[in-house]
Amino acid sequence: MAALIGKKLGMTQVFDPDDGHVERVTVLEAGPCHVTGIRTSERDGYAAVQLAFGEVEEGRLTKAEEGHLKKAGAPPLRHLAEFRDEDLGAEEGPKVGDDVTVASFEVGQRVKVSGVSIGKGFQGGIKRHNFSRGPVSHGSHNVRAPGSIGASAFPARVFKGMRMPGQMGNKRVTQKGLEVAEIDAERNLLLIKGSVPGHRNAVVEVRTDA
C-alpha cells in the first residue's frame, strides 16, 4: 500500500496531447513524508505506518511531539497520521527514518483521498438533504419548512437520525475510486482526476484504493 499526507492546492485542468480531451484535476502537494513510527501485530496488535508532514518552526510543537519526532530523526512536523496495512511489518516495508514521496504512486493508479469537507454552516433541509419545497400558493406556510417530524402521543418524541436542518459539512470524508492523472516528483505534486474533500490548503490523506 502506498500512502501520503499532503495539502490540497486547488483545481486545474490538463489536456491529453493525443485527442485533446480535457481532464479536471485536483493538485495535491503530497510529501515528502517522514516515517516516524511502525506498528506491528506482535507488539501493538495491528500493523500500520505512521507518517509526518508539514514542517514548522522549532518550538511550535509540544516537547512530547518534538521528542517523538527527534527520536525518529525527523524535523518538527505538524501533521501525523497512521495508515494501516498488514504488509507493512514485512522486511521490505518502510522503516523509521525513511522518506516517502509521490514516486511511490503510479499514473493511472486508483487512490482514495480522506479529508475534512468544506463547512457550510447551519443549513435547512432543502440544501442539506435535497428535500423538495412545499407549495407557494396563497396562504401556504410550508414553503421551505421541514414539515411534520414526529408521531402523535406515542412515542411523543423525535426519532434519532431524522434528516433535519443542522450543520452541513465540516466532517471527515473519504472519496474513493479516484485516479492519478499526473505525477511531478520534482515539485512533490500529485494530480488527481476529479475533486477531493477539503478546502484550499486543507490537509488530506492519500492512499491506494484496492
Side-chain angles (χ1 to χ4, degrees), residues 97-173:
D98 292 350
D99 288 340
V100 183
T101 66
V102 293
S104 58
F105 290 91
E106 300 176 355
V107 175
Q109 190 174 21
R110 290 286 180 177
V111 296
K112 54 185 177 182
V113 180
S114 301
V116 178
S117 61
I118 296 175
K120 300 182 183 297
F122 192 100
Q123 300 297 335
I126 292 179
K127 182 178 178 71
R128 191 182 185 206
H129 299 296
N130 199 30
F131 286 171
S132 298
R133 70 178 185 178
V136 294
S137 56
H138 180 69
S140 173
H141 289 229
N142 185 26
V143 179
R144 296 181 67 92
S148 178
I149 60 170
S152 184
F154 179 83
R157 63 183 176 87
V158 177
F159 290 106
K160 289 184 178 180
M162 290 284 291
R163 292 185 297 169
M164 297 172 63
Q167 183 184 5
M168 184 176 178
N170 195 32
K171 293 182 179 179
R172 180 177 170 87
V173 180

Side-chain angles (χ1 to χ4, degrees), residues 26-38:
T26 302
V27 183
L28 303 179
E29 181 186 348
C33 295
H34 297 268
V35 180
T36 55
I38 298 293

Side-chain angles (χ1 to χ4, degrees), residues 81-94:
E82 284 190 359
F83 299 89
R84 295 198 178 196
D85 190 2
E86 294 301 324
D87 299 329
L88 293 171
E91 291 294 329
E92 65 275 6

